Amino acid sequence: RKWPEYLPELVHAYNNTQHSTTGYTPFYMLFGRRSRLPIDLTLGIEPEQANNDEISPDDWVNQHWERYRHAYKVATDNSASATAGQKRMFDRNAKTSPILPGERVLVLNKRGRGHRKLKDRWEQIPYIVDRQPNDDIPVYVVTPE
């Protein structure tokens, strides 16, 4: 019931918390810099841009763009690495379930009837598995029930 009261603080906390996969905060990924927090003012921490008073606007834009590109590359690499690790963990416990002759299956309809989300993706009648021509490939010969 009190979600609307707490939501701004939760969004602020989320946007300023480093993500374990990308290595950056969502704020940094969006704006290319750290956010200025109230604690920074309290502790007298100067913003990163404070030392750049003497650079031209073009140089500032170029530096900002390079920081942003570097963060994007690091986040992309970290994300790919995390995805590969998650796949390894999943594959470690994944078990295949062979489909045996005589079992009933549904066949995927690649043409699809309907529109987008409401598209009927499966044939309406079940099929019976006759055989699997090659044991190494999950392709089966089926006949309608």
Side-chain angles (χ1 to χ4, degrees):
R1 291 182 184 169
K2 293 187 177 189
W3 266 107
E5 293 177 31
Y6 299 117
L7 203 53
E9 290 85 0
L10 292 171
V11 169
H12 182 268
Y14 178 83
N15 286 336
N16 289 289
T17 302
Q18 183 175 339
H19 195 279
S20 61
T21 299
T22 63
Y24 290 96
T25 66
F27 187 94
Y28 193 95
M29 293 304 298
L30 185 61
F31 297 107
R33 65 177 179 84
R34 282 185 61 239
S35 66
R36 188 113 162 95
L37 303 174
I39 191 71
D40 295 338
L41 294 173
T42 304
L43 297 176
I45 298 173
E46 292 294 320
E48 296 165 0
Q49 294 83 1
N51 302 331
N52 299 335
D53 291 339
E54 63 277 352
I55 67 170
S56 70
D58 289 340
D59 289 339
W60 182 89
V61 168
N62 289 334
Q63 288 176 4
H64 182 77
W65 180 247
E66 284 304 316
R67 263 195 328 269
Y68 189 73
R69 280 183 23 159
H70 175 73
Y72 182 78
K73 182 180 179 342
V74 169
T76 301
D77 293 345
N78 289 347
S79 181
S81 175
T83 299
Q86 292 166 1
K87 181 180 178 349
R88 275 193 308 279
M89 291 299 292
F90 176 82
D91 290 348
R92 186 181 300 171
N93 297 322
K95 307 266 188 282
T96 58
S97 298
I99 301 173
L100 303 173
E103 289 188 5
R104 298 173 73 210
V105 294
L106 291 177
V107 174
L108 181 64
N109 180 0
K110 290 289 189 176
R111 292 178 307 237
R113 294 174 292 276
H115 189 63
R116 295 188 186 166
K117 288 185 187 180
L118 302 177
K119 187 180 349 184
D120 187 7
R121 299 186 192 287
W122 302 95
E123 292 292 333
Q124 294 181 358
I125 59 168
Y127 285 71
I128 304 291
V129 175
D130 289 335
R131 62 187 170 85
Q132 181 179 9
N134 185 340
D135 291 338
D136 297 331
I137 302 172
V139 175
Y140 301 88
V141 176
V142 296
T143 56
E145 188 174 55

